[in-house]
Amino acid sequence: MKNYQVIIGMETHVQLKTKSGMFCSCKNDPNAEKPNIYTCPVCLGLPGALPVANKQAIEWTIKLGLALGCKINSLSKFDRKHYFYPDLPKGYQISQYDLPFCYQGKVQTSFGPVGITRVHLEEDTGKLIHDTVNGKKVSLIDFNRSGTPLVEIVTEPEIYSSAQAKEYAKRLRQIIRYLDISDCDMESGEMRLEANISLQNIKSQISNNKSNSNDKLPNYKVELKNINSFRYLERGIEYEVERQQEILEKGETPVQETRGFNAEKNITYTQRTKEEAADYRYFPDPDLPPINIDKRWLGEINSSLPETLDGLFKRWQKEYSLKQELVELLFETADESRKLDGLFKQCHKEKLSVEKLVNAMVHKKVKTIEEFKKLTSVDDVSDESLNIIIEKVLKDNQKAVVDYRSGKTNVTNFLVGMVMREAKKKIEFGRLQKLIVDKIKS
Amino acid sequence: MTKISPNLVKHMSKLAKIPISEKEEGEFAKGFSKTLDVVDKLFKVDVKNVEPTHQVTGLENVLREDKVDEKKMLSQDQALSNTKKKYNGYFVVDQILAED
Amino acid sequence: MKTNELTLKKAIELLDKKEISLDEIYVDTLAAINEKNKDLNVYLKIDKDALEKAKKESNKPLRGLPIAVKDNFLTIGLATTASSKVLDGFMPPYESTVTKRIKNSGGVVIGKTNMDAWAHGSSTETSDYGPTKNPRNPKYLPGGSSGGSAAAVAADMTIAAIGSETAGSIRQPAAWSGVVGLKPTYGRTSRYGVVAMGSSLDSPGPITKTVEDAAFLLNYIAGQDSNDGTTSSLPIPDCGKDLKKGAKDLKIGICYIDHPNIKATPVAKAVEEAGRVFENLGAKVEQVGISSELEKGKILTHEHAIGVYTVVQRGEVSSNLSRYDGIRYGQDRSHFGHEAKNRIMLGTFSLSKGYSDKYYNFAQKVRSLYIKNFKELFQEYDLLISSPSPSYALPLGSLSDDPMFGELQDMLVEPSSLAGITGISVPCFRDEKTNLYLGLNIMGDYFQEEKVLQAAWAYEQASGWNPWVKI
């Protein structure tokens, strides 16, 4: 990869967990027991049926946009996007074209920020299952999923490695789960990843580095579609980088196409080559009046936002020295984070180490302060009774006291062990050490 | 005058998924050109600073609450009642995109 | 007089006085259908259980009376095809809002009427099930696309009917068939369960024997529908209450008749004569000049509307007909007739890459000009009158190869349809030789159905052209 820089833009589809459909009042349930049991005239695309937009889905989309630092279009609308596919009942998908609800946001990764181009709302399609029935190869269609609210998050082509792509996607999922607007279960298709991948010749970039880098994007891109795990995303991108590099080194240009990822063989494969560019014939859906997001409505949505995830991690770091990598394992939704915050406050008030509590919660799976206290048994021994034990231990180990006074401070480790043995209890190390030192100095 | 070629008609028939014969291509091309002759007179109209209309009565924000209404939902039988091409509760079409 | 010849209001009155029975009405109506349908081809389907259903409804406002419904309204239990073979045999699993409201009010859908396939046309000749003939003179067309509903009313094969208009499809067949047709404001009546044609234009409405019947029926079908986000929440006045208020002091503008294509034709004369009738009723009537650009006090020429309407409607048609893929219902896309194919492909073109700005977006801008024009005119005038059609009914077989046939027929109503305002067609002349009628199109501002109906009623009483109104 010395001569090439991978350039990745991502498109992520996320199903919102509203109770009902995007444009109809059908039940929204990704785990239906039978096919075609959650349909109605609207999501089945029957003649004469009309869509009416779900307010909750719109508010959640805007909420997500705000959480991603997006600007919000005050006037938005839904458009019809036309193409034919058996899982698309109306021959068009209701989506958003030139006025998405949200645009220009950002997601932070450890490799740098990733720009969010837009966040828009649309309806999901039905599901196809490929099968052989009576010796004939057929596709079976289930429209239960048809009309589920689907948010699409599109990034700028600003992701420069498979690892960053993976981190971005994970981070996005974390933010969405935090807002509690989707469970993002990738196995059941609640979150679907797509990466547009191409390689840039570094030399040609350097020679052009004065011009806008967007103008100099590679003249092709390969769409890696329907990835349902972060690991496959990473491996798929890595495979593509190698594959495209080989082609480029031969002096050729990779074919612009859609590819899938085969996890067993660990390779990507051609799904569809586009003969001619798609022509979706977008136009504003006349069935759906435009949406005016005035200041008042936007204010209401804004005030329903939880503390930002970044802010929360920074605050916990500052107040309790908590590491994000650890504490983030303990919650998903903002609701859960608020409960956790309460727990930390209580813990702190009781002069217990929040850091240790978090450690115990992660590794020992304790859930309450009581369990944590029991684990450390701290609550069983008061300072007074400890001091009695300490006095006895110091008396029995005069040499250690002398050693300490002469500067061998690490002798306290030994003394702490002795006190614990005497007390027959596990006592918080720091607390015990402090009591011992106080006693020696007194 | 907008001239519509049979080739463009062919492209439209593909986009619209309307199967047409070669003879029809020519006929439609002729008809389209004739229609567009009438339509093209429109371009004389001055629409500078005019916004397009998509909703004539000026409605906005007509939204529904997030509620399930089972009365409006169809049973599986009802959903499948107008097709013969069904199997085990699914709609059936000839296989499209085969997986590798 | 047979009971099927009664108006809706008269039938209710006589039923309430027990002078007639529902049985009589159904016997007479079904007899008329049996006698005439073979020749006129008005109905595609008849509900055999109509009388049985009717008897359970005799206490409701519509008293179980028969209502004929255009075949693009979805009706449970009655196949719905929009007169296209693509939907042959389609049995709707849900009911359109308009027919649901009719049924809830005690009306009975006696049958589904023929129409231009997908409502694409102004003659009812493009039906995949054969043309409907004009009951006033079977050598002539009834107009369209709601030709079956207009003919059903004209031939007394129902008491009243429902149609739908995109541009002219209620008013033009009403005019050609010598009946009354009301096109409500866009959003006054629900489109839910009506096979969509031009979604930003479609407007269901009553086709009846008298203005009074239209006002009465409108009360039961109009109003906001939670299933149609484009219906208005504005309250609906009882249009029958002050129907007989008269036309005194109304300011009425006469439109389009000085256009070269119309000037000095029988159509222009009939409209001018109607103007004099209104003057005699105490209205102030004046001619509104035509202009080619937006100009205060003048009406923007209908010529631009042909282009706007063609582009907008074809675009919406191509989109609305995308769902007919033969997978979930109906036949596949090879079953579309010539006219539908034509419209789908032209619409696809007008929305396609590189052309949508030139055609679709441009057209929607000119549409804004029409809206502005009407809004200004209705500050000056209470009502505008013109003709819903540039001619009498045309002979059968007139549907030429001209792809603009329908648009030329509908050009006088297209501006008002694009704007979405309301209008009613009432009989305003009868040619003694052919027995064919002309209609008067009375147009009002958004949601001014009540005012339009009041004027139409006064005109109907004073002019004497409506064969069901005895003076």
Side-chain angles (χ1 to χ4, degrees), chain A residues 385-402 411-424 427 432 436 439-440:
Chain A
S385 46
L386 275 179
N387 274 332
I388 295 167
I389 299 169
I390 290 168
E391 266 175 48
K392 182 176 179 292
V393 169
L394 293 186
K395 204 184 267 173
D396 295 347
N397 296 281
Q398 284 297 327
K399 188 175 178 293
V401 176
V402 173
V411 77
T412 52
N413 293 350
F414 164 74
L415 289 170
V416 165
M418 292 306 287
V419 173
M420 279 199 207
R421 191 186 291 171
E422 193 73 20
K424 296 188 176 69
I427 298 156
L432 202 49
I436 291 168
K439 189 53 88 188
I440 293 173

Side-chain angles (χ1 to χ4, degrees), chain C residues 96-165:
Chain C
S96 81
T97 296
V98 166
T99 51
K100 195 185 225 172
R101 286 180 177 177
I102 284 176
K103 289 177 178 180
N104 288 344
S105 314
V108 172
V109 178
I110 187 168
K112 303 297 285 292
T113 59
N114 199 15
M115 55 187 281
D116 285 292
W118 304 109
H120 296 169
S122 309
S123 65
T124 315
E125 269 195 310
T126 69
S127 166
D128 285 352
Y129 301 96
T132 295
K133 293 176 190 168
N134 191 327
R136 304 292 180 195
N137 185 336
K139 288 186 186 126
Y140 289 82
L141 295 165
S145 63
S146 309
S149 284
V153 173
D156 291 311
M157 293 160 81
T158 184
I159 298 296
I162 293 292
S164 70
E165 173 161 331

Side-chain angles (χ1 to χ4, degrees), chain C residues 109-259:
Chain C
V109 178
I110 187 168
K112 303 297 285 292
T113 59
N114 199 15
M115 55 187 281
D116 285 292
W118 304 109
H120 296 169
S122 309
S123 65
T124 315
E125 269 195 310
T126 69
S127 166
D128 285 352
Y129 301 96
T132 295
K133 293 176 190 168
N134 191 327
R136 304 292 180 195
N137 185 336
K139 288 186 186 126
Y140 289 82
L141 295 165
S145 63
S146 309
S149 284
V153 173
D156 291 311
M157 293 160 81
T158 184
I159 298 296
I162 293 292
S164 70
E165 173 161 331
T166 308
S169 279
I170 286 176
R171 288 174 283 178
Q172 183 254 18
W176 282 16
S177 302
V179 300
V180 173
L182 172 70
K183 182 245 178 236
T185 308
Y186 178 81
R188 177 98 285 184
T189 46
S190 169
R191 296 181 293 116
Y192 188 68
V194 185
V195 174
M197 206 261 256
S199 305
S200 70
L201 300 145
D202 294 346
S203 187
I207 297 178
T208 55
K209 294 173 182 175
T210 61
V211 172
E212 193 179 20
D213 282 359
F216 186 69
L217 202 47
L218 180 70
N219 282 340
Y220 295 102
I221 62 170
Q224 192 175 23
D225 175 14
S226 61
N227 291 319
D228 178 357
T230 60
T231 49
S232 169
S233 60
L234 289 174
I236 314 146
D238 175 354
C239 288
K241 201 168 138 257
D242 291 324
L243 189 67
K244 297 171 184 174
K245 193 178 166 199
K248 198 166 179 291
D249 296 331
L250 288 179
K251 193 171 177 194
I252 296 174
I254 300 181
C255 304
Y256 306 127
I257 58 166
D258 53 345
H259 187 272

Side-chain angles (χ1 to χ4, degrees), chain A residues 135-190:
Chain A
K136 203 179 156 204
K137 284 193 156 188
V138 295
S139 297
L140 305 174
I141 320 169
D142 172 11
F143 288 103
N144 282 338
R145 194 179 75 175
S146 169
T148 297
L150 196 64
V151 164
E152 182 174 342
I153 304 107
V154 182
T155 76
E156 294 291 311
E158 289 180 354
I159 300 172
Y160 301 109
S161 69
S162 58
Q164 189 184 11
K166 185 176 161 187
E167 192 187 322
Y168 159 77
K170 277 187 152 178
R171 186 87 178 115
L172 183 63
R173 183 180 67 172
Q174 189 178 39
I175 293 167
I176 293 166
R177 282 180 168 174
Y178 182 65
L179 296 175
D180 208 10
I181 58 175
S182 171
D183 294 334
C184 294
D185 178 0
M186 298 181 79
E187 291 255 312
S188 64
E190 289 166 38

Side-chain angles (χ1 to χ4, degrees), chain A residues 260-276:
Chain A
F261 181 69
N262 183 322
E264 272 169 48
K265 297 183 195 160
N266 205 17
I267 58 167
T268 68
Y269 61 91
T270 300
Q271 273 190 329
R272 224 180 323 163
T273 35
K274 282 177 185 164
E275 297 161 27
E276 39 202 327

Side-chain angles (χ1 to χ4, degrees), chain B residues 2 13 16-17 24 28 32 35 39-40 42-43 45 47 50-53 56-57 59 62 72 82-83 85, chain C residues 90-91 186 227 229 304 308 326-327 329 333 341-342 345 348 358-359 362 364-365 368 371 404 418-419:
Chain B
T2 312
S13 82
K17 221 181 167 186
E24 280 176 307
F28 280 126
F32 287 180
T35 302
V39 170
D40 284 353
L42 197 60
F43 300 130
V45 183
V47 292
V50 179
E51 287 294 317
T53 292
V56 291
T57 52
L59 292 174
V62 183
K72 287 183 188 168
N82 273 292
T83 183
K85 294 168 276 180
Chain C
F90 173 65
M91 293 300 290
Y186 178 81
N227 291 319
H304 304 323
V308 178
I327 295 174
Y329 49 81
R333 297 178 70 73
K341 283 185 184 178
N342 186 36
M345 286 200 292
T348 300
K358 180 175 172 193
Y359 288 104
F362 192 95
Q364 294 286 38
K365 286 181 185 171
S368 303
I371 292 171
M404 296 299 278
L418 286 167

Side-chain angles (χ1 to χ4, degrees), chain C residues 229-300:
Chain C
T230 60
T231 49
S232 169
S233 60
L234 289 174
I236 314 146
D238 175 354
C239 288
K241 201 168 138 257
D242 291 324
L243 189 67
K244 297 171 184 174
K245 193 178 166 199
K248 198 166 179 291
D249 296 331
L250 288 179
K251 193 171 177 194
I252 296 174
I254 300 181
C255 304
Y256 306 127
I257 58 166
D258 53 345
H259 187 272
N261 288 354
I262 319 269
K263 210 171 182 171
T265 63
V267 166
K269 278 183 207 150
V271 175
E272 277 169 326
E273 182 53 37
R276 280 190 284 277
V277 171
F278 274 117
E279 269 175 346
N280 291 337
L281 287 166
K284 195 180 166 208
V285 181
E286 61 185 46
Q287 200 159 316
V288 184
I290 304 182
S291 65
S292 62
E293 296 280 325
L294 201 57
E295 200 181 319
K296 250 208 158 115
K298 288 193 173 174
I299 192 155
L300 190 56

